[in-house]
Amino acid sequence: MKKYLLAFLGLSLFLSSCSKNDATLVTEEIEEIIPAPEIDITVQNFMWQTMNTYYFWQSDVTDLGDSRFESDEEYVSFLESEQEPGKFFDDKLLFSEDRFSFYSDDYKELTQSFAGVSKSNGVEFGLSLFADSDDVYGYVRYIVPNSNASSKDIKRGDIFTGVNGTTLNLNNYVDLLFGESDTYTLNMADISDNIIANTDREVTLTKEANLTENPVYISNVLETGGKKIGYLMYNGFTNEFDEQLNDAFGEFKSAGITDLVLDLRYNPGGSVNSARLLSSMIYGTFTNSVFLKARYNQKLQLEFKDTDLIEYFADKTDNNTPINTLGLSKVYVLATGSTASASELVMNGLEPYIEVIHIGTTTTGKNEFSVTFVDDFENGNVYSPNREDKINPDNQWAIQPLIGRNENANGFSDYTDGLTPDITLKEDLSNLGILGNINEPLLAKAIGEITGTTAKMDFTVDMPVILISSSKLFTKIKDNMFMDIKNPLNLTKK
């Protein structure tokens, strides 16, 4: 069979610093499929080639094996066996334990999402189940500024049980909340005596295209108990806002804060490089200290020395702005089951160097990273906005497979079950509090630990949040962590 592997195609294109003692690397190019397929399998071919080369579990998926097909005809027949590209990806290419790899039929929409741009009404919410029922209710976590919702009568802590007069349940909530309709009306409810009861109140919302969310949601200095405490609520690792993040730390530094509370409770992840920069702002600009060690699949890993896959703490942003670092020996992190990927990377990456006090609940447990791939074989299918004119115009699909795992300086990456809290405290639906306010329960708990006043406070949780999903898991990027550090593979989204 003619070799279809990307099989290190592109290593010569995107290797920036790996020479492996100047050994010659394999740079075999892909050739066109000779057998004329009976159906269009352009997307399936792109998916298989990419997954065969980069997928972290490539050796565990029989159909991705290098010697899986004995002839061109057998390969083409396999691609034709599923005409729907999404089902082909999910059913034939994914490892059974993979919870996070995904695809998009519109790479432009996907890459915009990574920049914090999406179609949204601005309500970020969680979803839960009524006891002993399939009925679903939602609760508002926060409102994105300058969104449609920001001008409506809806706020954090509000409860809704229906859409357009239809009660939400496990069978319909996806279509009603995340379907094609841009405008819908939420049927609101109240909590009284720890019971959710419907009301006559309605809130009509409209999703707007190109809504940009600044992930630096709250940045305050709180003076209490003789301490100056920096509080940062950071809701997504979006590298387009790295300068604003650095500015926030500049304000913390100028204020002379003594402690930091980093609120990642709703942060599903994003840019690995932003995670590295944030960690440097907290700990220090020690460019000789290991932040992470990347681990790829067996084929790719063998091409590199360990030193080629190490990334260090940073002293500058990508715009060459000096990093404002606090040089802390301890950080308090608010994290929950909605805290994932790059958020967990920060917690794990800092652990070898400083004390990380995790307050909240167990995190998601996403320790692998991904890269955006598109149909651009000359560039190893790695997406680059500078090569928009090189992407196959007949294939707008993108895939976001897990391609590696990040270890910290101690070699630890085994947190697929999530990072467990040092201090367990669930959010309380009956008392969500105001984000950034010293009386908001999770923040109050952290302040109490810092100032030693915890014993004087009541942290009883009457209505604990039991999450089944959230609005962020229905965005294009979900809880993805994408590798965009300039490492030897140069697997970047830019």
Side-chain angles (χ1 to χ4, degrees):
M1 172 196 173
K2 187 190 305 293
K3 289 184 182 275
Y4 291 104
L5 307 178
L6 275 172
F8 310 116
L9 166 74
L11 286 178
S12 61
L13 299 171
F14 54 67
L15 273 171
S16 61
S17 64
C18 174
S19 64
K20 204 171 183 181
N21 297 321
D22 297 322
T24 301
L25 295 173
V26 178
T27 57
E28 179 180 34
E29 295 189 3
I30 301 172
E31 300 180 42
E32 296 295 328
I33 298 173
I34 293 177
E38 296 181 3
I39 63 173
D40 186 357
I41 53 173
T42 302
V43 179
Q44 289 88 335
N45 181 54
F46 147 71
M47 288 178 169
W48 190 91
Q49 302 277 3
T50 305
M51 295 288 279
N52 167 264
T53 300
Y54 301 106
Y55 190 42
F56 188 61
W57 294 286
Q58 182 263 339
S59 62
D60 296 300
V61 180
T62 301
D63 285 334
L64 288 175
D66 293 344
S67 57
R68 165 66 175 82
F69 307 105
E70 296 182 357
S71 67
D72 296 335
E73 289 79 8
E74 185 180 0
Y75 175 65
V76 170
S77 177
F78 172 75
L79 299 184
E80 290 178 328
S81 64
E82 176 51 67
Q83 298 184 34
E84 168 53 47
K87 282 183 62 62
F88 178 78
F89 182 80
D90 285 340
D91 297 345
K92 297 185 179 294
L93 304 184
L94 292 188
F95 181 50
S96 60
E97 297 179 14
D98 184 353
R99 298 176 290 161
F100 300 108
S101 294
F102 65 96
Y103 60 83
S104 172
D105 60 4
D106 184 347
Y107 78 85
K108 292 182 180 179
E109 186 177 3
L110 176 63
T111 54
Q112 284 182 334
S113 296
F114 285 125
V117 180
S118 64
K119 190 173 189 178
S120 171
N121 55 38
V123 178
E124 295 297 341
F125 55 85
L127 294 166
S128 188
L129 284 175
F130 285 98
D132 302 319
S133 170
D134 287 341
D135 287 344
V136 171
Y137 65 88
Y139 65 97
V140 178
R141 291 170 155 181
Y142 67 92
I143 303 296
V144 177
N146 303 314
S147 65
N148 178 259
S150 67
S151 64
K152 301 295 180 70
D153 180 23
I154 190 167
K155 65 184 183 306
R156 173 173 169 80
D158 282 353
I159 307 291
F160 57 90
T161 57
V163 172
N164 300 330
T166 300
T167 300
L168 293 168
N169 59 48
L170 285 175
N171 295 322
N172 67 19
Y173 81 87
V174 174
D175 289 337
L176 289 174
L177 290 169
F178 309 106
E180 296 181 359
S181 179
D182 289 340
T183 298
Y184 57 67
T185 298
L186 295 179
N187 308 119
M188 309 303 291
D190 283 336
I191 297 177
S192 179
D193 296 326
N194 295 335
I195 296 175
I196 296 174
N198 293 333
T199 67
D200 293 330
R201 190 162 73 93
E202 296 181 339
V203 179
T204 299
L205 301 164
T206 299
K207 297 175 185 177
E208 299 173 316
N210 302 320
L211 176 66
T212 301
E213 178 181 354
N214 183 344
V216 185
Y217 188 68
I218 301 174
S219 175
N220 287 336
V221 176
L222 308 172
E223 296 192 40
T224 179
K227 299 280 189 176
K228 278 190 175 182
I229 302 170
Y231 171 76
L232 175 70
M233 185 169 204
Y234 186 58
N235 290 333
F237 288 80
T238 312
N239 60 14
E240 282 76 6
F241 291 91
D242 287 343
E243 295 299 322
Q244 289 89 330
L245 180 63
N246 196 39
D247 289 343
F249 274 82
E251 294 172 3
F252 288 154
K253 191 172 182 179
S254 296
I257 68 166
T258 55
D259 301 271
L260 175 67
V261 179
L262 176 63
D263 195 340
L264 302 176
R265 76 182 78 183
Y266 305 139
N267 191 322
S271 163
V272 169
N273 191 50
S274 294
R276 180 178 68 133
L277 297 179
L278 173 58
S279 300
S280 303
M281 295 170 197
I282 295 168
Y283 167 56
T285 55
F286 303 112
T287 55
N288 291 322
S289 295
V290 174
F291 174 60
L292 66 83
K293 302 174 185 177
R295 292 290 177 261
Y296 296 92
N297 70 32
Q298 295 176 14
K299 289 195 298 187
L300 292 180
Q301 195 71 25
L302 290 173
E303 289 297 310
F304 306 102
K305 298 174 292 186
D306 282 348
T307 53
D308 294 323
L309 300 174
I310 292 175
E311 294 298 338
Y312 301 89
F313 286 85
D315 59 356
K316 291 183 173 64
T317 69
D318 282 359
N319 289 337
N320 287 320
T321 305
I323 283 180
N324 296 311
T325 185
L326 301 177
L328 296 175
S329 59
K330 180 187 295 186
V331 63
Y332 296 81
V333 181
L334 309 183
T336 67
S338 294
T339 304
S341 60
S343 291
E344 294 168 303
L345 177 61
V346 168
M347 299 167 72
N348 192 49
L350 287 173
E351 189 68 40
Y353 301 100
I354 68 175
E355 190 175 0
V356 178
I357 307 299
H358 172 182
I359 299 172
T361 56
T362 302
T363 61
T364 298
K366 185 175 186 295
N367 54 355
E368 297 92 5
F369 58 85
S370 66
V371 166
T372 305
F373 294 99
V374 294
D375 194 342
D376 180 7
F377 279 80
E378 291 182 358
N379 199 48
N381 284 348
V382 178
Y383 171 74
S384 170
N386 299 323
R387 294 180 57 85
E388 291 275 352
D389 60 337
K390 304 295 184 182
I391 298 172
N392 182 357
D394 297 323
N395 181 8
Q396 299 298 297
W397 287 69
I399 60 174
Q400 197 78 27
L402 299 181
I403 67 165
R405 181 170 288 167
N406 286 323
E407 303 173 351
N408 67 15
N410 293 338
F412 179 73
S413 65
D414 186 17
Y415 52 90
T416 54
D417 292 330
L419 297 170
T420 57
D422 300 289
I423 301 169
T424 298
L425 182 60
K426 294 182 178 181
E427 286 201 295
D428 186 345
L429 283 174
S430 64
N431 182 28
L432 281 179
I434 299 172
L435 293 170
N437 185 286
I438 60 173
N439 294 315
E440 186 276 311
L442 264 66
L443 176 55
K445 186 67 172 177
I447 292 173
E449 292 295 318
I450 293 169
T451 61
T453 59
T454 298
K456 302 177 183 179
M457 307 176 74
D458 182 8
F459 290 99
T460 301
V461 177
D462 293 321
M463 296 182 68
V465 169
I466 303 175
L467 198 70
I468 62 167
S469 191
S470 71
S471 52
K472 289 202 171 185
L473 293 183
F474 286 86
T475 62
K476 285 291 182 180
I477 62 173
K478 303 179 183 180
D479 47 8
N480 181 59
M481 173 168 58
F482 53 89
M483 177 63 82
D484 59 347
I485 292 178
K486 296 179 179 63
N487 56 43
L489 286 179
N490 197 23
L491 296 173
T492 66
K493 83 177 186 75
K494 285 195 168 182

